[in-house]
Amino acid sequence: DTAVSQTPKYLVTQMGNDKSIKCEQNLGHDTMYWYKQDSKKFLKIMFSYNNKELIINETVPNRFSPKSPDKAHLNLHINSLELGDSAVYFCASSQDRTQYFGPGTRLTVL
Amino acid sequence: GQNIDQPTEMTATEGAIVQINCTYQTSGFNGLFWYQQHAGEAPTFLSYNVLDGLEEKGRFSSFLSRSKGYSYLLLKELQMKDSASYLCAVRTGGGNKLTFGTGTQLKVEL
């Protein structure tokens, strides 16, 4: 009965490839988020969707494209991967103010 | 812009009390969160303050002074399992955008 789940947990790929990370929540929350945590453990918001509508879109390269097919899912597609994209990507969801995080996807770009 | 400061590292003894400080400078302040993150895991919610004062929850308490832009997390009766990173996050505006500090790595020793 996982609340917020992400796949895959680990992703190792070559520079220039395109990859996707999937997120699903079974909490019935209306809002979902993508965060990036870099090697210095700094956690930064990238995107947020509320009921499939994009509401937060931080300064992120347009190689990153979120997609929300329904309010329980928020996927992140990354084109033309670069070395600097290596990080842990966390998905989160919330109904009101408290955000609940998924287990993270560790992306390594070689 | 937003600025959130926390000490990078702290060390404390099992059974003791430790206070982790967070100072912030933001516009549109709408609440402050504390999250705990064990190595390799997701951040988990600890506490939320939006009004001045102390919120107590078991061994953990969190304090907020909005006029001073200051919060602290107090951990009592420290246990080895409390060794983790503690993230201060400020909510701004009417939405649910969180800006995180860089986190404080707490090490609990025997």
Side-chain angles (χ1 to χ4, degrees):
Chain A
D1 53 349
T2 306
V4 183
S5 58
Q6 296 179 226
T7 53
K9 188 164 176 60
Y10 299 97
L11 185 53
V12 180
T13 188
Q14 299 287 333
M15 261 196 322
N17 284 350
D18 303 338
K19 290 293 178 187
S20 291
I21 306 171
K22 296 187 175 183
C23 177
E24 177 181 0
Q25 54 96 4
N26 63 4
L27 297 167
H29 290 169
D30 287 336
T31 309
M32 296 184 72
Y33 312 79
W34 276 112
Y35 285 85
K36 178 181 181 181
Q37 189 169 45
D38 61 24
S39 56
K40 295 183 179 177
K41 310 300 182 190
F42 182 54
L43 192 60
K44 187 169 167 54
I45 182 81
M46 299 173 69
F47 303 103
S48 175
Y49 271 74
N50 181 271
N51 266 319
K52 303 195 298 176
E53 181 184 346
L54 182 64
I55 56 171
I56 296 175
N57 187 358
E58 290 295 288
T59 309
V60 175
N62 57 15
R63 299 182 294 104
F64 290 78
S65 53
K67 282 189 173 54
S68 182
D70 56 60
K71 77 172 195 176
H73 296 85
L74 180 62
N75 304 323
L76 183 65
H77 188 75
I78 315 170
N79 289 327
S80 303
L81 278 156
E82 299 178 358
L83 292 176
D85 298 333
S86 294
V88 180
Y89 292 84
F90 285 100
C91 176
S93 73
S94 70
Q95 184 57 28
D96 42 49
R97 61 180 186 239
T98 303
Q99 296 183 25
Y100 297 90
F101 286 79
T105 295
R106 181 174 292 278
L107 171 65
T108 303
V109 182
L110 303 175
Chain B
Q2 326 267 9
N3 192 35
I4 302 172
D5 288 315
Q6 306 178 233
T8 304
E9 294 178 339
M10 298 183 72
T11 302
T13 305
E14 190 179 33
I17 298 173
V18 71
Q19 177 175 311
I20 302 174
N21 296 327
C22 172
T23 58
Y24 62 89
Q25 294 170 312
T26 66
S27 54
F29 177 85
N30 193 16
L32 187 142
F33 292 81
W34 285 95
Y35 278 82
Q36 180 191 60
Q37 186 177 24
H38 285 99
E41 297 183 11
T44 55
F45 169 74
L46 287 178
S47 69
Y48 171 72
N49 296 69
V50 66
L51 299 176
D52 290 352
L54 189 68
E55 294 281 342
E56 296 185 82
K57 195 188 288 187
R59 294 189 299 115
F60 293 4
S61 304
S62 57
F63 172 84
L64 175 67
S65 168
R66 289 172 297 171
S67 62
K68 294 182 180 177
Y70 168 69
S71 173
Y72 67 72
L73 180 70
L74 193 71
L75 292 76
K76 302 176 187 174
E77 301 168 18
L78 279 172
Q79 302 175 9
M80 298 298 288
K81 68 178 182 180
D82 297 329
S83 293
S85 181
Y86 290 86
L87 308 174
C88 171
V90 172
R91 182 185 182 206
T92 53
N96 210 16
K97 179 180 173 180
L98 291 186
T99 301
F100 281 82
T102 51
T104 299
Q105 186 65 44
L106 174 67
K107 182 178 178 183
V108 180
E109 299 179 327
L110 290 171

